[in-house]
Amino acid sequence: GWTRHPAPMTAPSLVVSNLGARANPRVARRASSRARRVAPPRASGGERRQTIEESDASDASSGAEGRASSLPLGLTRRNLIDAAFVAVSIPLWKDIAHDLGYLQGPEDAPADLPVPPPGSGYVTATFSGGCFWCMERPFDELDGVIATTSGYTGGFVDNPTYHEVGAGRTGHRESVQILYDPRAVSYEQLLQTFWRQVDPTRDDGMFLDSGFQYTSAIYVADESQRAAAEESVRALTEEGRFPGPIKTAIEPASAFWPAEKYHQDYYRRNSTRYGFYRFLSGRDEFVRV
């Protein structure tokens, strides 16, 4: 009452070894020799790891030598990356030192407001839309805009600094004042540009920046500007363009304090830091929708 199972397959050398005295010695020797030729000798675990590590080290060394040899003065790609990082970061740390008030120079003086020529008919419009670096360029690109100036307005402190405004101690918002020719561009067109740059549903900041100083506002110079601003809010509310109610303040224009010189035209003069900041802020993702 038992069942016979076939023996499992084994390597020739094991078969020969298991036959013992019953095997033909010459056949056994030939089979054993054949098995050794077919199967290469197996290295121990430690030897295999050592071989792999030596191979990887050799490949890395040859790759590094190839990279170094293709660059002048024996430099490596890592050297170039480190140098590029330093070149980009030096202006960044310099600006941070300015912002915190630790570094003072001519560029920390307030910028001059552009003065319209007598009889030019130029007028001003003032908007707050978060970081003023990001608000200048859209208006600069409009025909009829003469100049844009980053600054601070709406607060109760005279001659505020960037550090003071950023700390939220002045009641000011970061703002941009636009000098424009109303014969070439209308206030309504400026409003359209403004609404395309902001998230007006927030009353606690703007994109990456938090705090009242970064909230949106329209500072109106006269009743015609107020009427146009209020009408634009009504139209946008009916259109349902934004995902919530519009919380942008409409307030009378008050003293406008130009920001420090190094903040003016920042997107042109410090394009690397500006581009990095704008990318992180999420502003572009929002305004494209």
PDB file of all heavy atoms in Angstrom, residues 84-105:
ATOM      1  N   ALA A  84      27.853  78.097  -9.035  1.00  0.00           N
ATOM      2  CA  ALA A  84      26.603  78.713  -9.481  1.00  0.00           C
ATOM      3  C   ALA A  84      25.695  79.007  -8.289  1.00  0.00           C
ATOM      4  O   ALA A  84      25.038  80.054  -8.231  1.00  0.00           O
ATOM      5  CB  ALA A  84      25.893  77.800 -10.476  1.00  0.00           C
ATOM      6  N   PHE A  85      25.652  78.081  -7.330  1.00  0.00           N
ATOM      7  CA  PHE A  85      24.825  78.291  -6.148  1.00  0.00           C
ATOM      8  C   PHE A  85      25.288  79.516  -5.367  1.00  0.00           C
ATOM      9  O   PHE A  85      24.484  80.338  -4.921  1.00  0.00           O
ATOM     10  CB  PHE A  85      24.871  77.056  -5.249  1.00  0.00           C
ATOM     11  CG  PHE A  85      24.123  77.217  -3.959  1.00  0.00           C
ATOM     12  CD1 PHE A  85      22.743  77.117  -3.920  1.00  0.00           C
ATOM     13  CD2 PHE A  85      24.798  77.495  -2.778  1.00  0.00           C
ATOM     14  CE1 PHE A  85      22.048  77.282  -2.743  1.00  0.00           C
ATOM     15  CE2 PHE A  85      24.116  77.669  -1.587  1.00  0.00           C
ATOM     16  CZ  PHE A  85      22.733  77.549  -1.571  1.00  0.00           C
ATOM     17  N   VAL A  86      26.590  79.662  -5.205  1.00  0.00           N
ATOM     18  CA  VAL A  86      27.127  80.814  -4.482  1.00  0.00           C
ATOM     19  C   VAL A  86      26.797  82.107  -5.231  1.00  0.00           C
ATOM     20  O   VAL A  86      26.380  83.108  -4.641  1.00  0.00           O
ATOM     21  CB  VAL A  86      28.651  80.665  -4.293  1.00  0.00           C
ATOM     22  CG1 VAL A  86      29.250  81.963  -3.762  1.00  0.00           C
ATOM     23  CG2 VAL A  86      28.961  79.516  -3.352  1.00  0.00           C
ATOM     24  N   ALA A  87      26.970  82.082  -6.569  1.00  0.00           N
ATOM     25  CA  ALA A  87      26.708  83.282  -7.362  1.00  0.00           C
ATOM     26  C   ALA A  87      25.252  83.723  -7.248  1.00  0.00           C
ATOM     27  O   ALA A  87      24.948  84.920  -7.197  1.00  0.00           O
ATOM     28  CB  ALA A  87      27.073  83.026  -8.824  1.00  0.00           C
ATOM     29  N   VAL A  88      24.330  82.761  -7.195  1.00  0.00           N
ATOM     30  CA  VAL A  88      22.911  83.095  -7.096  1.00  0.00           C
ATOM     31  C   VAL A  88      22.546  83.511  -5.672  1.00  0.00           C
ATOM     32  O   VAL A  88      21.729  84.407  -5.465  1.00  0.00           O
ATOM     33  CB  VAL A  88      22.050  81.883  -7.545  1.00  0.00           C
ATOM     34  CG1 VAL A  88      20.579  82.114  -7.214  1.00  0.00           C
ATOM     35  CG2 VAL A  88      22.229  81.651  -9.037  1.00  0.00           C
ATOM     36  N   SER A  89      23.143  82.867  -4.676  1.00  0.00           N
ATOM     37  CA  SER A  89      22.719  83.093  -3.299  1.00  0.00           C
ATOM     38  C   SER A  89      23.275  84.373  -2.683  1.00  0.00           C
ATOM     39  O   SER A  89      22.674  84.920  -1.764  1.00  0.00           O
ATOM     40  CB  SER A  89      23.123  81.901  -2.417  1.00  0.00           C
ATOM     41  OG  SER A  89      24.529  81.758  -2.359  1.00  0.00           O
ATOM     42  N   ILE A  90      24.414  84.878  -3.183  1.00  0.00           N
ATOM     43  CA  ILE A  90      24.980  86.107  -2.608  1.00  0.00           C
ATOM     44  C   ILE A  90      23.995  87.272  -2.720  1.00  0.00           C
ATOM     45  O   ILE A  90      23.713  87.954  -1.720  1.00  0.00           O
ATOM     46  CB  ILE A  90      26.338  86.446  -3.257  1.00  0.00           C
ATOM     47  CG1 ILE A  90      27.420  85.481  -2.741  1.00  0.00           C
ATOM     48  CG2 ILE A  90      26.732  87.884  -2.953  1.00  0.00           C
ATOM     49  CD1 ILE A  90      28.772  85.683  -3.384  1.00  0.00           C
ATOM     50  N   PRO A  91      23.419  87.560  -3.893  1.00  0.00           N
ATOM     51  CA  PRO A  91      22.420  88.635  -3.947  1.00  0.00           C
ATOM     52  C   PRO A  91      21.204  88.357  -3.068  1.00  0.00           C
ATOM     53  O   PRO A  91      20.619  89.283  -2.500  1.00  0.00           O
ATOM     54  CB  PRO A  91      22.037  88.683  -5.438  1.00  0.00           C
ATOM     55  CG  PRO A  91      23.181  88.045  -6.146  1.00  0.00           C
ATOM     56  CD  PRO A  91      23.699  86.993  -5.226  1.00  0.00           C
ATOM     57  N   LEU A  92      20.843  87.077  -2.951  1.00  0.00           N
ATOM     58  CA  LEU A  92      19.691  86.725  -2.124  1.00  0.00           C
ATOM     59  C   LEU A  92      19.940  87.091  -0.664  1.00  0.00           C
ATOM     60  O   LEU A  92      19.113  87.745  -0.021  1.00  0.00           O
ATOM     61  CB  LEU A  92      19.410  85.227  -2.246  1.00  0.00           C
ATOM     62  CG  LEU A  92      18.414  84.631  -1.251  1.00  0.00           C
ATOM     63  CD1 LEU A  92      17.049  85.235  -1.465  1.00  0.00           C
ATOM     64  CD2 LEU A  92      18.373  83.116  -1.388  1.00  0.00           C
ATOM     65  N   TRP A  93      21.092  86.693  -0.131  1.00  0.00           N
ATOM     66  CA  TRP A  93      21.405  87.002   1.266  1.00  0.00           C
ATOM     67  C   TRP A  93      21.595  88.498   1.471  1.00  0.00           C
ATOM     68  O   TRP A  93      21.266  89.038   2.539  1.00  0.00           O
ATOM     69  CB  TRP A  93      22.643  86.229   1.701  1.00  0.00           C
ATOM     70  CG  TRP A  93      22.363  84.773   1.869  1.00  0.00           C
ATOM     71  CD1 TRP A  93      22.800  83.742   1.094  1.00  0.00           C
ATOM     72  CD2 TRP A  93      21.539  84.171   2.868  1.00  0.00           C
ATOM     73  NE1 TRP A  93      22.305  82.555   1.542  1.00  0.00           N
ATOM     74  CE2 TRP A  93      21.530  82.779   2.632  1.00  0.00           C
ATOM     75  CE3 TRP A  93      20.805  84.670   3.940  1.00  0.00           C
ATOM     76  CZ2 TRP A  93      20.819  81.887   3.426  1.00  0.00           C
ATOM     77  CZ3 TRP A  93      20.088  83.787   4.744  1.00  0.00           C
ATOM     78  CH2 TRP A  93      20.108  82.418   4.484  1.00  0.00           C
ATOM     79  N   LYS A  94      22.099  89.177   0.475  1.00  0.00           N
ATOM     80  CA  LYS A  94      22.234  90.625   0.577  1.00  0.00           C
ATOM     81  C   LYS A  94      20.867  91.287   0.705  1.00  0.00           C
ATOM     82  O   LYS A  94      20.667  92.176   1.541  1.00  0.00           O
ATOM     83  CB  LYS A  94      22.968  91.161  -0.665  1.00  0.00           C
ATOM     84  CG  LYS A  94      23.213  92.668  -0.626  1.00  0.00           C
ATOM     85  CD  LYS A  94      23.945  93.122  -1.880  1.00  0.00           C
ATOM     86  CE  LYS A  94      24.151  94.625  -1.876  1.00  0.00           C
ATOM     87  NZ  LYS A  94      24.822  95.098  -3.107  1.00  0.00           N
ATOM     88  N   ASP A  95      19.906  90.817  -0.107  1.00  0.00           N
ATOM     89  CA  ASP A  95      18.561  91.378  -0.027  1.00  0.00           C
ATOM     90  C   ASP A  95      17.909  91.063   1.312  1.00  0.00           C
ATOM     91  O   ASP A  95      17.193  91.895   1.884  1.00  0.00           O
ATOM     92  CB  ASP A  95      17.696  90.829  -1.165  1.00  0.00           C
ATOM     93  CG  ASP A  95      18.032  91.464  -2.498  1.00  0.00           C
ATOM     94  OD1 ASP A  95      18.788  92.449  -2.503  1.00  0.00           O
ATOM     95  OD2 ASP A  95      17.542  90.964  -3.523  1.00  0.00           O
ATOM     96  N   ILE A  96      18.120  89.856   1.817  1.00  0.00           N
ATOM     97  CA  ILE A  96      17.548  89.488   3.110  1.00  0.00           C
ATOM     98  C   ILE A  96      18.117  90.387   4.207  1.00  0.00           C
ATOM     99  O   ILE A  96      17.395  90.828   5.104  1.00  0.00           O
ATOM    100  CB  ILE A  96      17.819  87.999   3.415  1.00  0.00           C
ATOM    101  CG1 ILE A  96      17.005  87.112   2.451  1.00  0.00           C
ATOM    102  CG2 ILE A  96      17.479  87.667   4.859  1.00  0.00           C
ATOM    103  CD1 ILE A  96      17.300  85.641   2.577  1.00  0.00           C
ATOM    104  N   ALA A  97      19.428  90.661   4.142  1.00  0.00           N
ATOM    105  CA  ALA A  97      20.044  91.555   5.121  1.00  0.00           C
ATOM    106  C   ALA A  97      19.433  92.956   5.037  1.00  0.00           C
ATOM    107  O   ALA A  97      19.189  93.608   6.057  1.00  0.00           O
ATOM    108  CB  ALA A  97      21.557  91.617   4.904  1.00  0.00           C
ATOM    109  N   HIS A  98      19.148  93.421   3.802  1.00  0.00           N
ATOM    110  CA  HIS A  98      18.465  94.710   3.644  1.00  0.00           C
ATOM    111  C   HIS A  98      17.080  94.656   4.288  1.00  0.00           C
ATOM    112  O   HIS A  98      16.688  95.561   5.033  1.00  0.00           O
ATOM    113  CB  HIS A  98      18.320  95.047   2.157  1.00  0.00           C
ATOM    114  CG  HIS A  98      19.554  95.608   1.537  1.00  0.00           C
ATOM    115  ND1 HIS A  98      20.120  96.795   1.935  1.00  0.00           N
ATOM    116  CD2 HIS A  98      20.339  95.144   0.524  1.00  0.00           C
ATOM    117  CE1 HIS A  98      21.194  97.046   1.203  1.00  0.00           C
ATOM    118  NE2 HIS A  98      21.350  96.062   0.337  1.00  0.00           N
ATOM    119  N   ASP A  99      16.330  93.580   3.970  1.00  0.00           N
ATOM    120  CA  ASP A  99      14.956  93.468   4.456  1.00  0.00           C
ATOM    121  C   ASP A  99      14.887  93.486   5.977  1.00  0.00           C
ATOM    122  O   ASP A  99      13.944  94.031   6.563  1.00  0.00           O
ATOM    123  CB  ASP A  99      14.318  92.177   3.929  1.00  0.00           C
ATOM    124  CG  ASP A  99      14.202  92.152   2.414  1.00  0.00           C
ATOM    125  OD1 ASP A  99      14.372  93.226   1.802  1.00  0.00           O
ATOM    126  OD2 ASP A  99      13.955  91.083   1.846  1.00  0.00           O
ATOM    127  N   LEU A 100      15.862  92.869   6.624  1.00  0.00           N
ATOM    128  CA  LEU A 100      15.862  92.783   8.085  1.00  0.00           C
ATOM    129  C   LEU A 100      16.473  94.010   8.750  1.00  0.00           C
ATOM    130  O   LEU A 100      16.483  94.111   9.975  1.00  0.00           O
ATOM    131  CB  LEU A 100      16.605  91.519   8.525  1.00  0.00           C
ATOM    132  CG  LEU A 100      15.971  90.193   8.087  1.00  0.00           C
ATOM    133  CD1 LEU A 100      16.845  89.026   8.528  1.00  0.00           C
ATOM    134  CD2 LEU A 100      14.558  90.056   8.649  1.00  0.00           C
ATOM    135  N   GLY A 101      17.010  94.929   7.935  1.00  0.00           N
ATOM    136  CA  GLY A 101      17.565  96.147   8.483  1.00  0.00           C
ATOM    137  C   GLY A 101      18.996  96.043   8.954  1.00  0.00           C
ATOM    138  O   GLY A 101      19.507  96.951   9.617  1.00  0.00           O
ATOM    139  N   TYR A 102      19.674  94.940   8.606  1.00  0.00           N
ATOM    140  CA  TYR A 102      21.059  94.755   9.046  1.00  0.00           C
ATOM    141  C   TYR A 102      22.072  95.367   8.084  1.00  0.00           C
ATOM    142  O   TYR A 102      23.240  95.515   8.437  1.00  0.00           O
ATOM    143  CB  TYR A 102      21.361  93.265   9.203  1.00  0.00           C
ATOM    144  CG  TYR A 102      20.559  92.599  10.293  1.00  0.00           C
ATOM    145  CD1 TYR A 102      19.822  91.460  10.026  1.00  0.00           C
ATOM    146  CD2 TYR A 102      20.537  93.112  11.587  1.00  0.00           C
ATOM    147  CE1 TYR A 102      19.076  90.842  11.021  1.00  0.00           C
ATOM    148  CE2 TYR A 102      19.798  92.510  12.581  1.00  0.00           C
ATOM    149  CZ  TYR A 102      19.071  91.362  12.295  1.00  0.00           C
ATOM    150  OH  TYR A 102      18.331  90.761  13.267  1.00  0.00           O
ATOM    151  N   LEU A 103      21.634  95.670   6.886  1.00  0.00           N
ATOM    152  CA  LEU A 103      22.550  96.222   5.889  1.00  0.00           C
ATOM    153  C   LEU A 103      21.941  97.498   5.343  1.00  0.00           C
ATOM    154  O   LEU A 103      20.793  97.509   4.898  1.00  0.00           O
ATOM    155  CB  LEU A 103      22.771  95.203   4.763  1.00  0.00           C
ATOM    156  CG  LEU A 103      23.777  95.588   3.666  1.00  0.00           C
ATOM    157  CD1 LEU A 103      25.170  95.734   4.271  1.00  0.00           C
ATOM    158  CD2 LEU A 103      23.785  94.522   2.571  1.00  0.00           C
ATOM    159  N   GLN A 104      22.707  98.565   5.396  1.00  0.00           N
ATOM    160  CA  GLN A 104      22.212  99.853   4.943  1.00  0.00           C
ATOM    161  C   GLN A 104      23.145 100.414   3.869  1.00  0.00           C
ATOM    162  O   GLN A 104      24.361 100.304   3.973  1.00  0.00           O
ATOM    163  CB  GLN A 104      22.126 100.841   6.109  1.00  0.00           C
ATOM    164  CG  GLN A 104      21.133 100.442   7.192  1.00  0.00           C
ATOM    165  CD  GLN A 104      19.697 100.489   6.712  1.00  0.00           C
ATOM    166  OE1 GLN A 104      19.318 101.401   5.976  1.00  0.00           O
ATOM    167  NE2 GLN A 104      18.905  99.512   7.100  1.00  0.00           N
ATOM    168  N   GLY A 105      22.540 100.988   2.849  1.00  0.00           N
ATOM    169  CA  GLY A 105      23.315 101.589   1.780  1.00  0.00           C
ATOM    170  C   GLY A 105      22.439 102.533   0.992  1.00  0.00           C
ATOM    171  O   GLY A 105      21.255 102.741   1.321  1.00  0.00           O
TER     172      GLY A 105
END
